[in-house]
Amino acid sequence: LFRGACGPGALERLRLASLDDSPLLDLGIVGFIGGYRSVEHCIHAVNNRSLLAQPPALDRILKRVRPKLRHFEYSHYRYLLHLPGAATGSYSRNLQHLFMHGAVVLVWHCEAREWYYPLLRDRVHVVYCNA
């Protein structure tokens, strides 16, 4: 499960959201931040800024616009995904909340670090991943 906003630093979120639909992946873009008029406007701006040869697929991403979940609903999932923050593509304080749900926490590799990150062990506390 992943829910998060589109923002100036959301490239990794958009890459993941543009993957083929899978019944195993419950991923939702729940809104936008950073002065954009809409999720679609945010996606176009992030794509244009990234200069990727293969930008994330807009149609697939727009299919993943979903409502926010209430915090307790995260506990219904076995796996929770933590991605870099939408505002700058770096720090996101969401990770500390994911640990409370008794699920396996998948952490997308990212340069941003919290003070406790060096204490986390791969396949003990979290499972590190990327595309």
Side-chain angles (χ1 to χ4, degrees), residues 34-53:
Y36 299 109
R37 297 183 302 272
S38 65
V39 171
E40 188 169 343
H41 180 236
C42 176
I43 293 166
H44 283 298
V46 172
N47 278 344
N48 290 340
R49 200 172 44 256
S50 69
L51 302 175
L52 294 175

Side-chain angles (χ1 to χ4, degrees), residues 46-100:
V46 172
N47 278 344
N48 290 340
R49 200 172 44 256
S50 69
L51 302 175
L52 294 175
Q54 189 86 16
L58 178 64
D59 60 330
R60 288 187 188 148
I61 297 169
L62 289 175
K63 286 181 192 174
R64 294 197 184 270
V65 173
R66 305 234 166 88
K68 288 184 178 184
L69 293 177
R70 292 169 294 185
H71 199 65
F72 76 88
E73 292 176 295
Y74 282 66
S75 297
H76 299 153
Y77 291 83
R78 291 183 184 171
Y79 303 94
L80 301 174
L81 178 61
H82 174 73
L83 288 169
T88 63
S90 61
Y91 168 73
S92 170
R93 67 177 180 244
N94 187 50
L95 180 58
Q96 56 199 326
H97 301 290
L98 297 181
F99 289 124
M100 297 185 295

Side-chain angles (χ1 to χ4, degrees), residues 1 3 10 17 21-22 25 32 42 45 49 51 54 67 72 86 88 91 94-95 101-102 109 114 119 126 131:
L1 168 74
R3 291 290 188 274
D21 239 353
S22 165
L25 181 63
F32 52 94
C42 176
R49 200 172 44 256
L51 302 175
Q54 189 86 16
F72 76 88
T88 63
Y91 168 73
N94 187 50
L95 180 58
H101 297 285
H109 278 287
E114 273 254 41
L119 302 173
V126 297

